[in-house]
Amino acid sequence: MPNLRAWTPWLEALADLFYPPHCVACGRAVERGADLCADCLETVVRIKEPRCELCSHPYDDLLDVVLCPNCRGHGFTFECAVAVMRSTGVVRDLIHRFKYSRDETLRRPLGNWLAEAFDDRRLADAEPDWIVPVPLHPVRQREREYNQAALLAEWVARRSGIPYRNVLRRMRYTTTQTQFDRRHRMRNLRGAFALRHNVSVIDKHILLVDDVLTTGATLDACSSILLEAGASRVHAITLARG
């Protein structure tokens, strides 16, 4: 049999000739294996400490703060939500393209960035049984043609080796959440989610996946359903923090 490894450099060179790698944000040429050019990469802001221990809200300076004002006195049912990046600039634009423009090619770079959440110390001792996406209502999924959270969750599941399970369903079509504060979002989401039929999450440690965390209301509503159904613990990861 031919030695395929020996041919790999030639095949990659041929691919670069006909399909040169390009920046997924601006389209400029990049080196093989890179997703962003240097200029676009400079606009990406990863969330590091100091940040809220519960919702990952970032702080611009060193403050002796554990929880942000959004979380203080208003606890969530999930143990923490790890967000990898700020939802600004290139990151926000790519998420919008992936979410609303049916650009499924962005699944790989966005999924790889989301997988960086496992480097966060808050997940160091977490051993999830299942990775579970936040569901879309069937009407909205038909409009978008896919659930972006599910595609990201499947990608991260393959990379991490944690089983993927689509155990939640969206029962009620809700209006867009962007103009609501946390209180109104939670009210808007009452009764919006449920466990799928013939699914058991009893004693399962669940890792919820969504693209963006803004107020945390959606993740909290999903987490509540899972815990009420017998899940032992719920953590969450998102690509970005709005």
Side-chain angles (χ1 to χ4, degrees):
M1 294 182 62
N3 186 348
L4 295 181
R5 288 187 178 181
W7 284 92
T8 297
W10 295 95
L11 294 173
E12 290 180 349
L14 192 62
D16 289 347
L17 178 64
F18 290 100
Y19 304 101
H22 60 277
C23 173
V24 295
C26 70
R28 293 177 186 170
V30 295
E31 294 182 2
R32 170 163 290 279
D35 293 314
L36 294 177
C37 67
D39 289 341
C40 289
L41 189 59
E42 283 187 1
T43 71
V44 173
V45 181
R46 284 175 167 80
I47 295 177
K48 300 178 180 179
E49 297 186 68
R51 44 93 183 104
C52 176
E53 288 290 300
L54 186 52
C55 77
S56 296
H57 177 76
Y59 295 107
D60 292 326
D61 51 16
L62 290 172
L63 298 172
D64 187 19
V65 175
V66 176
L67 299 180
C68 68
N70 181 58
C71 296
R72 204 175 304 134
H74 303 282
F76 292 112
T77 55
F78 52 80
E79 295 189 26
C80 73
V82 176
V84 178
M85 300 173 175
R86 294 195 186 198
S87 182
T88 58
V90 165
V91 172
R92 181 182 56 210
D93 293 344
L94 291 177
I95 291 174
H96 281 203
R97 271 173 49 193
F98 183 53
K99 196 170 183 174
Y100 302 115
S101 299
R102 304 181 179 91
D103 191 348
E104 200 171 341
T105 64
L106 293 173
R107 178 187 191 180
R108 181 186 59 81
L110 296 183
N112 287 340
W113 290 342
L114 177 60
E116 294 178 16
F118 290 104
D119 296 330
D120 192 286
R121 63 171 175 78
R122 288 170 292 175
L123 294 181
D125 297 326
E127 296 181 355
D129 295 300
W130 292 345
I131 287 179
V132 172
V134 170
L136 280 180
H137 189 274
V139 172
R140 185 156 287 163
Q141 184 153 339
R142 283 196 297 271
E143 292 171 353
R144 297 184 186 174
E145 298 186 359
Y146 57 77
N147 176 4
Q148 75 284 347
L151 293 187
L152 292 174
E154 288 172 349
W155 186 272
V156 171
R158 284 202 299 269
R159 282 202 50 173
S160 65
I162 302 170
Y164 168 89
R165 295 289 186 275
N166 190 12
V167 304
L168 292 170
R169 56 191 174 123
R170 195 140 189 168
M171 300 287 293
R172 186 165 54 81
Y173 188 92
T174 55
T175 56
T176 180
Q177 297 271 89
T178 53
Q179 75 272 28
F180 296 149
D181 60 19
R182 181 184 176 191
R183 183 182 58 172
H184 285 89
R185 287 182 184 224
M186 288 184 166
R187 184 185 307 161
N188 195 39
L189 289 168
R190 286 175 187 164
F193 300 101
L195 207 64
R196 289 183 178 273
H197 296 303
N198 301 319
V199 169
S200 174
V201 295
I202 293 174
D203 295 330
K204 296 297 184 183
H205 180 182
I206 304 297
L207 183 64
L208 276 172
V209 172
D210 206 357
D211 54 352
V212 180
L213 185 156
T214 304
T215 66
T218 299
L219 290 173
D220 189 61
C222 291
S223 175
S224 295
I225 295 297
L226 293 166
L227 291 170
E228 288 171 7
S232 60
R233 303 174 68 187
V234 178
H235 285 80
I237 60 173
T238 69
L239 179 61
R241 179 69 167 83

